[in-house]
Amino acid sequence: EAAVTQSPRNKVTVTGGNVTLSCRQTNSHNYMYWYRQDTGHGLRLIHYSYGAGNLQIGDVPDGYKATRTTQEDFFLLLELASPSQTSLYFCASSDAISAETLYFGSGTRLTVL
Amino acid sequence: GEKVEQHESTLSVREGDSAVINCTYTDTASSYFPWYKQEAGKSLHFVIDIRSNVDRKQSQRLIVLLDKKAKRFSLHITATQPEDSAIYFCAAKHYGNEKITFGAGTKLTIKP
């Protein structure tokens, strides 16, 4: 089974703070995704990537940057965090469009005070 | 873009009974419909999917039905057990599109 590891598990920051969420997958998957989970909204796609150096915009990208440094590593950056970004963030990976099954990390709970 | 609506936000059934979760989608080009399960305090994992070339798929106690005309699909869990208690997410995408759109989730509780 694909292994997707997120860090940190929990993060608290203040409004205007700078936050980086990390994700690493060890199964050579091409696609990696960042989602946020909020009650009543389900999972919403922030950014995704199909390989090192590639970045695609998701459905709720405002206030977020992302960078895929290697095939394994995908980072989500909040440069001026706001309370509206308090959420549970999931990283996921998938080996190809046709395979489609997403493998999720364990999540990062971010609180912006 | 695609929108997926999950009709039941909560559902409670007695152990041994069947549970049904319904979803609708808007994009007629959607062709792939997976379901994910999230147990309390844990991450999501894939449970079953269906593609648009069939209208029914079964995996043990899980059955997925797809009605393309109505743009509706549903997850049926038969002979429910306590370990079926979780949040279930439906999703949709069309072939060649890298984005999967999720519903808001249904919290299923199995009562003893």
Side-chain angles (χ1 to χ4, degrees), chain B residues 7 14 17 20 22 37 56 61-63 81 83 109:
Chain B
H7 295 264
R14 200 160 297 282
D17 290 348
V20 182
N22 296 285
K37 177 182 181 181
R56 185 182 191 276
R61 295 186 296 107
L62 302 180
I63 301 169
Q81 300 170 1
E83 54 265 36
T109 302

Side-chain angles (χ1 to χ4, degrees), chain B residues 22-34:
Chain B
N22 296 285
C23 290
T24 53
Y25 60 98
T26 58
D27 188 348
T28 52
S30 285
S31 59
Y32 175 68
F33 306 92

Side-chain angles (χ1 to χ4, degrees), chain A residues 2-11 19-26 32-37 43 46 72-76 78 87-93 102-110, chain B residues 38 41-44:
Chain A
V4 181
T5 305
Q6 291 183 238
S7 61
R9 290 298 303 272
N10 294 282
K11 176 73 178 178
V19 176
T20 298
L21 307 185
S22 302
C23 178
R24 166 167 280 208
Q25 55 93 6
T26 57
M32 295 186 74
Y33 303 80
W34 278 107
Y35 285 91
R36 59 178 290 174
Q37 182 182 10
L43 278 84
I46 304 170
E72 293 79 21
D73 298 302
F74 195 28
F75 300 92
L76 186 67
L78 292 74
S87 187
L88 180 58
Y89 291 85
F90 285 105
C91 175
S93 71
L102 295 177
Y103 295 87
F104 284 87
S106 53
T108 295
R109 185 166 295 282
L110 174 66
Chain B
Q38 183 180 33
K42 296 192 175 178
S43 187
L44 291 83

